[in-house]
Amino acid sequence: MKEFLLGLRLLFGAGRGNRIRFFLMAAGGSLGVCCLALVLTIPQILDAHDTRAAAREPRTTSAQPAGSTLVLQRADPYGSVTFNRVFVAKGTEGTKGAKGTDSTPPGLDELPGPGEVFVSPRVHDLLREQPAVKGLLPGRETGLIGAAGLAHPDELFAYVGTTRDRIADEGRALKGFGYDYAPFPAVDPSTLTTLRFALGSLVLLPLGIFLSVCARLSAAARTRRLASLRLLGVSTRGVQRVNAAETVVAALLGAVLGLVECWLLNQMMARTGLASLRWYPEDGTLSATTVAVCLIGCPALAWFVGRAGAREAAAGPLAVRRTAVPRRPATWGALLLVTGLGIVTGYCVTGLTDRPADSIGPNAFLIPVGILLTGLGLVLTLPLLSHALARRLARSTRSLTLNLAMRRNEVEPGSTMRVVTGLVLLVFAASLAQGVLIQLEQVTRPSAPVQDYSVPLASLTPEQQRDLAGVQGVRAHAMTMDSWVDLEKLDGTLQEQATALIATCDQLESMVRRAEGCRDGKVMRLVDPNSSVGSDLTPGTSFPYRFGAGKARTLNITLPSERIVYSAYPASAVGSAVLLVPPSALPAAARPDAAQLVLTSSSDPDRVREVLDGIAAVAPIAEIELIGVNIQGLEQIAVIETLLAVGMIMGLVIGVAAFVVAATDRAVERRPQVTAIMLIGARARTVRTVQCVQVVLPLSIGLALALVTGKLAESSYLITGGSAVYWDVAGTPLLALAAAGVVAVAIAGTLPLAGRRIDPELIRRD
């Protein structure tokens, strides 16, 4: 305890510079702890979404006892989000929940009666912005749904009271509310595992380096001071306790500040939200686990880092005071790198065979372990590589500048590596992030390059139909109509039907892979060799089509023998059509019964969201069917992309912060040596070049190694994940450009290390 108190006295009594360094350590640590707390809070926010969604899910039965309450659920796309509606027909008897009490959904005090509508705050605002939305909610707005009944603040949700006869055919008897799982989780559990691994690689690896850098600020000066205490008779453990007084207290103060910063950020971000992700402030409240990890883990890391720094001063105080030649860096870090590379390279080799590895069984554990060992080994191997290269170049070069730079790196390889390690890890993590994005894109994007949307023509006015064709992002539009069946003339036999596509040849070609033999102005048969649709129909068969307007109420179209051979996409609205009817063949101003307006756009998720939002702006109450795509899946893609973007931003902030902190600390530590060199006649330009070479050369080696190891880690991840892309060649130029930018930043950071003014006071003895 005496040594700990001595450390505190030295901390606050060793001058203003020492106190400034202490507060810099605490400030840097607070930034790292804030990022750590945010990463740990993300799963908590997603879990809060799913918990509330599960608590409001109706528990129903297909039987409809007399007096029971009936419910009917509807989840329709409104723009690029889901509009959830629950129709409720109250029964004469109260439904009993699990505990025997009348059951009402969370967020409501009572179930809505006929003609009553309870809406979420976002729907409340939407009814004023888009009055046409009232068509989706028959009744009068009676109240708002509380936060307990909504997954997030911007959710479109409504409870609509109705009568029993309206939903008797499809409704189910209500038993209560609440399940242990959400029907549509914010992020699928399997995808959440991948997301956690990606965020850990993007944030936690650079975070560990950053916190270590903050704990090692002014390491040389503190080591000399600890060596002096050891020479004065303080024991080895006492020296470590003295050092712990500064590092642990700074880390603890930084952890407290970081938790406060995280709380403030949560309050602000919960109110503004992120793209595709909103939450209540209570969802992001710091949990006991998060607080414990930050308040215990960060000081513990600082203790181990400080203990490693004090070990040298305690073991050889004379060597520290007289600046003896340090020992060669340990080689055990290279063992981690070799082990990690062995694992990821082995999986990359399987990608060249006919049976690539998958992520089932032991592979699910080995892949993350191999990637983490590669990243950790990369960090621990850099000082060894820097020392070996510096020693070889210093012995062989005849350049004064290069010799000075390499001799300094040979003596203090760890000093330079603290500056460049964060930037090297940033490039490694960026390569891995590319792999995660590629895999998610392959899994979640439709396999076809186009996306079709189907809207019932009966729900559209002629003006809306025209405006929808001009929505931003729509590249083709057409109509499909089903032939009419006279139910009164059925004699027990199945009457043949045919779906017609009303489009021009250009419109058809925009909606399919290829089409051959199309001629404008003629009714032609559509034949897809890969489909059996219409194969049983014979040419000459006539099919009637009904129209709700115009002079002709019925139009008979004969199936011709002339045909168009086409290839449809896997999920396409054209695939069910057997006839191509030119628009000119229809009666003027006629609107077919049982018809659908079909829109086509690119399948890019951003483009799909843009088109859905455009459709909602033109026809708010129209029912939209995304051919081959689930709107809930589209929302999950948006959430995952947002979280990965947040992780990459935090990784970038941490990497740059580590560089700035380490470069500033190195500049202060190197001032006596720089002053001594300049006093013996070295020019400022030469000194700046030396400082630049000291950083840029090991940084270039580290970046080259990070590019190679990062690409191997990315490929092993893609191969085992079953992605269609194994070797991300397209992403290499982007990473190389990022590495060049990192080198440019490092060069700019070394320039202020040598000034024009020489201060001899800096080289006086302690």
Side-chain angles (χ1 to χ4, degrees):
M1 191 64 183
K2 293 181 179 180
E3 291 86 354
F4 191 81
L5 295 176
L6 174 61
L8 293 179
R9 292 184 62 185
L10 290 174
L11 170 63
F12 295 104
R16 184 179 62 179
N18 199 53
R19 290 192 295 271
I20 292 175
R21 184 181 68 246
F22 170 79
F23 288 115
L24 284 176
M25 291 170 61
S30 71
L31 176 61
V33 170
C34 179
C35 292
L36 174 62
L38 288 175
V39 172
L40 296 177
T41 303
I42 287 174
Q44 177 182 318
I45 292 174
L46 298 178
D47 184 64
H49 277 215
D50 296 342
T51 300
R52 287 194 297 271
R56 74 184 181 202
E57 186 69 10
R59 290 184 284 107
T60 60
T61 179
S62 57
Q64 297 182 2
S68 62
T69 297
L70 302 184
V71 296
L72 176 64
Q73 294 176 275
R74 286 285 184 261
D76 303 310
Y78 181 84
S80 56
V81 297
T82 303
F83 196 149
N84 292 287
R85 293 173 294 162
V86 180
F87 293 88
V88 180
K90 293 177 67 172
T92 56
E93 296 182 4
T95 58
K96 299 295 181 180
K99 296 183 179 180
T101 58
D102 290 341
S103 178
T104 56
L108 292 184
D109 294 330
E110 60 178 350
L111 291 172
E116 297 180 340
V117 179
F118 291 93
V119 299
S120 65
R122 182 68 187 96
V123 175
H124 175 80
D125 296 336
L126 191 64
L127 287 172
R128 277 117 187 102
E129 300 168 3
Q130 299 282 352
V133 177
K134 292 181 179 178
L136 294 172
L137 306 170
R140 67 185 184 281
E141 182 181 336
T142 306
L144 297 178
I145 303 173
L150 300 173
H152 56 85
D154 282 348
E155 188 176 23
L156 300 179
F157 202 95
Y159 291 95
V160 182
T162 184
T163 57
R164 190 181 184 89
D165 59 303
R166 290 180 177 270
I167 61 173
D169 294 338
E170 300 180 75
R172 299 172 67 88
L174 178 66
K175 297 172 61 179
F177 289 91
Y179 277 93
D180 295 333
Y181 57 89
F184 300 104
V187 177
D188 188 78
S190 60
T191 307
L192 184 59
T193 302
T194 302
L195 183 64
R196 286 172 175 166
F197 172 68
L199 290 177
S201 302
L202 287 171
V203 180
L204 298 184
L205 273 178
L207 179 61
I209 300 300
F210 177 59
L211 293 176
S212 299
V213 167
C214 291
R216 290 283 290 164
L217 283 177
S218 298
R222 283 193 288 159
T223 302
R224 289 174 61 85
R225 188 176 63 200
L226 293 173
S228 300
L229 292 176
R230 182 72 180 94
L231 291 173
L232 290 174
V234 180
S235 65
T236 300
R237 291 187 178 180
V239 169
Q240 292 177 348
R241 295 190 187 100
V242 170
N243 194 43
E246 184 171 4
T247 56
V248 174
V249 172
L252 187 59
L253 177 60
V256 174
L257 292 176
L259 293 176
V260 174
E261 293 168 5
C262 181
W263 182 84
L264 293 175
L265 276 176
N266 174 62
Q267 297 298 317
M268 292 186 294
M269 294 173 64
R271 287 164 174 79
T272 59
L274 300 173
S276 306
L277 181 62
R278 287 291 308 275
W279 66 93
Y280 292 101
E282 297 78 14
D283 299 344
T285 302
L286 296 171
S287 65
T289 303
T290 301
V291 173
V293 168
C294 294
L295 292 182
I296 297 175
C298 292
L301 176 63
W303 162 257
F304 285 111
V305 172
R307 185 176 181 180
R311 187 182 299 117
E312 182 183 359
L318 284 176
V320 172
R321 293 300 303 175
R322 294 175 180 176
T323 319
V325 177
R327 292 178 298 176
R328 185 171 179 265
T331 58
W332 64 272
L335 180 62
L336 296 180
L337 179 61
V338 171
T339 304
L341 281 178
I343 295 175
V344 299
T345 304
Y347 285 110
C348 289
V349 171
T350 65
L352 302 174
T353 64
D354 296 333
R355 299 183 63 182
D358 52 31
S359 58
I360 300 175
N363 296 340
F365 171 76
L366 286 176
I367 280 295
V369 168
I371 293 175
L372 292 176
L373 286 178
T374 302
L376 184 60
L378 176 64
V379 172
L380 297 177
T381 307
L382 286 179
L384 179 63
L385 294 177
S386 177
H387 178 271
L389 178 66
R391 190 173 185 179
R392 180 176 294 274
L393 288 179
R395 289 178 177 179
S396 60
T397 185
R398 294 185 178 181
S399 170
L400 174 63
T401 301
L402 187 58
N403 191 281
L404 285 175
M406 293 301 99
R407 287 300 183 187
R408 174 51 57 183
N409 282 354
E410 181 184 1
V411 173
E412 293 181 353
S415 175
T416 302
M417 299 321 298
R418 285 202 303 272
V419 177
V420 304
T421 298
L423 299 178
V424 171
L425 264 185
L426 185 61
V427 174
F428 176 81
S431 180
L432 187 60
Q434 277 190 342
V436 175
L437 288 174
I438 288 173
Q439 187 194 43
L440 290 175
E441 183 180 3
Q442 293 292 330
V443 172
T444 55
R445 279 188 61 179
S447 57
V450 301
Q451 174 63 52
D452 288 349
Y453 315 80
S454 179
V455 184
L457 194 65
S459 63
L460 301 174
T461 65
E463 292 76 13
Q464 288 176 328
Q465 181 181 347
R466 183 179 60 254
D467 293 341
L468 287 179
V471 166
Q472 183 70 27
V474 173
R475 70 183 193 185
H477 66 280
M479 278 196 305
T480 60
M481 59 180 183
D482 298 327
S483 59
W484 176 61
V485 177
D486 190 351
L487 299 178
E488 296 179 356
K489 296 182 179 180
L490 290 178
D491 55 358
T493 60
L494 183 63
Q495 186 172 340
E496 292 182 332
Q497 284 186 286
T499 299
L501 176 69
I502 306 172
T504 63
C505 290
D506 290 340
Q507 290 172 333
L508 174 65
E509 292 174 357
S510 299
M511 302 175 73
V512 298
R513 282 197 183 101
R514 60 178 181 85
E516 300 175 356
C518 183
R519 287 186 291 174
D520 277 323
K522 295 194 64 175
V523 176
M524 304 186 72
R525 183 175 183 175
L526 291 172
V527 177
D528 186 352
N530 299 318
S531 174
S532 61
V533 175
S535 59
D536 57 337
L537 301 179
T538 57
T541 306
S542 181
F543 298 96
Y545 294 89
R546 296 294 297 266
F547 296 87
K551 297 181 180 180
R553 301 286 298 178
T554 303
L555 176 66
N556 293 312
I557 299 179
T558 302
L559 183 68
S561 58
E562 295 179 290
R563 62 181 190 171
I564 300 171
V565 179
Y566 76 101
S567 176
Y569 293 110
S572 172
V574 182
S576 61
V578 297
L579 280 168
L580 177 68
V581 179
S584 58
L586 299 183
R591 292 174 61 81
D593 292 343
Q596 303 282 327
L597 176 66
V598 178
L599 307 175
T600 301
S601 75
S602 165
S603 62
D604 180 75
D606 293 334
R607 180 65 69 186
V608 172
R609 295 188 194 101
E610 181 183 18
V611 173
L612 286 173
D613 290 336
I615 295 174
V618 174
I621 62 174
E623 181 182 357
I624 308 168
E625 180 185 0
L626 274 75
I627 308 298
V629 174
N630 190 329
I631 187 65
Q632 285 83 10
L634 197 64
E635 289 180 306
Q636 283 198 23
I637 297 173
V639 172
I640 293 169
E641 289 178 345
T642 298
L643 294 177
L644 283 177
V646 170
M648 285 188 282
I649 291 173
M650 283 195 290
L652 177 63
V653 169
I654 292 171
V656 173
F659 170 75
V660 171
V661 170
T664 304
D665 179 57
R666 182 173 177 271
V668 175
E669 279 195 329
R670 294 282 296 125
R671 285 172 66 190
Q673 289 85 357
V674 170
T675 301
I677 293 174
M678 296 182 70
L679 278 176
I680 62 175
R683 294 181 300 176
R685 180 183 300 177
T686 302
V687 175
R688 290 193 184 97
T689 306
V690 169
Q691 301 297 327
C692 182
V693 172
Q694 285 178 2
V695 173
V696 171
L697 193 59
L699 175 62
S700 301
I701 297 173
L703 291 177
L705 193 58
L707 286 174
V708 174
T709 57
K711 278 300 173 184
L712 288 174
E714 176 190 4
S715 296
S716 65
Y717 180 83
L718 292 174
I719 290 169
T720 55
S723 174
V725 177
Y726 285 178
W727 320 107
D728 179 25
V729 181
T732 303
L734 179 61
L735 283 178
L737 184 63
V742 166
V743 173
V745 170
I747 293 174
T750 60
L751 294 180
L753 295 186
R756 295 183 179 181
R757 180 175 174 271
I758 300 175
D759 186 6
E761 181 69 15
L762 292 173
I763 60 174
R764 67 181 179 86
R765 297 189 61 85
D766 293 343

